[in-house]
Amino acid sequence: LPIYQNWGPRIAAWGYVTLTVDGFRSRGLKNTCAKGPQPGMEFDAYTALNFLVKQSFVDPKRVFVVGFSQGGLLSLSSVERGPVEQRAENKFLAAVAFYPPCIGVKGPMTVSALILTGESDDWAPAEACRKLVAGQDDLGISRQQDEGKPIQLVVYAGAYHAFDTSTLRRPVRYFGHRIEFNQAATEQSSEALHQFLQSMIENR
């Protein structure tokens, strides 16, 4: 996939080991845009983590989970306080989500998290992420803002869904939503991601 082909080498160049999880091919899926994540996908991140911690070149206490779109939702869900995280023997240091559908996450987070999204995203609206950070849902306050670990939110003006996909130089309508590459948002999110990873390791 172009997203992972772009980000894997970039993150590896910073000195990190990267592992890409393909939750589609093993399930015979092309995408999950219409129906959302399929049963069992919520455990994929921990299956990958359990593999990584057994590698001699990986520090088991310094593993991050990073996801994009629905993968971002799963990234956040994997560190959200609840049955998935509680059942896991190994834990992530932190989580990062690019343009996730935040409406599917309630928190609180068991580790620090970073959300990077576009202000113009009409598929995974930034407003839902703002509510998540503020501890709100559609009915009002669902949790205290300081409950759990902090969530950082960065919203890029003029950026749409999949803003880091370089093959989308021209806007495309996909499942009724606009997706479009944004060079500025991609560069800024890359720097934000790099700084976040470094800060989590330094403050560990």
Side-chain angles (χ1 to χ4, degrees):
L1 295 175
I3 288 178
Y4 303 111
Q5 291 171 354
N6 291 338
W7 284 102
R10 186 191 303 246
I11 296 173
W14 299 338
Y16 297 93
V17 173
T18 64
L19 173 65
T20 299
V21 176
D22 183 353
F24 292 167
R25 192 172 307 175
S26 63
R27 295 180 171 93
L29 302 171
K30 291 185 177 180
N31 67 62
T32 56
C33 296
K35 297 182 178 179
Q38 300 300 291
M41 283 186 169
E42 66 272 22
F43 298 105
D44 285 359
Y46 284 104
T47 300
L49 177 60
N50 293 338
F51 169 80
L52 284 171
V53 299
K54 296 176 182 177
Q55 310 309 309
S56 60
F57 50 84
V58 173
D59 184 341
K61 301 298 183 182
R62 294 181 175 183
V63 181
F64 300 84
V65 56
V66 182
F68 302 80
S69 192
Q70 284 188 16
L73 166 64
L74 292 170
S75 175
L76 295 175
S77 297
S78 66
V79 299
E80 183 181 21
R81 186 181 299 165
V84 175
E85 190 276 337
Q86 290 172 355
R87 287 175 55 182
E89 178 181 356
N90 299 299
K91 307 294 184 181
F92 290 104
L93 177 58
V96 181
F98 282 73
Y99 39 87
C102 289
I103 195 170
V105 184
K106 299 301 180 185
M109 298 295 153
T110 59
V111 297
S112 297
L114 171 66
I115 299 173
L116 305 163
T117 195
E119 186 68 75
S120 299
D121 193 326
D122 65 352
W123 203 344
E127 184 59 27
C129 296
R130 291 192 177 98
K131 287 186 176 181
L132 171 62
V133 173
Q136 299 176 348
D137 58 24
D138 292 337
L139 299 177
I141 301 296
S142 60
R143 61 178 171 80
Q144 295 299 314
Q145 189 171 3
D146 59 353
E147 184 181 0
K149 297 295 182 178
I151 305 173
Q152 298 180 37
L153 172 63
V154 182
V155 181
Y156 299 106
Y160 291 86
H161 201 73
F163 62 72
D164 58 327
T165 306
S166 58
T167 55
L168 298 172
R169 298 286 175 173
R170 294 181 179 179
V172 172
R173 301 297 294 184
Y174 190 64
F175 282 85
H177 302 280
R178 177 169 171 166
I179 55 176
E180 181 182 0
F181 176 67
N182 186 301
Q183 183 71 47
T186 299
E187 293 176 354
Q188 292 170 31
S189 65
S190 176
E191 182 61 26
L193 173 62
H194 194 185
Q195 291 181 357
F196 179 76
L197 299 182
Q198 285 185 312
S199 68
M200 290 296 102
I201 289 177
E202 291 171 357
N203 296 326
R204 173 177 169 269

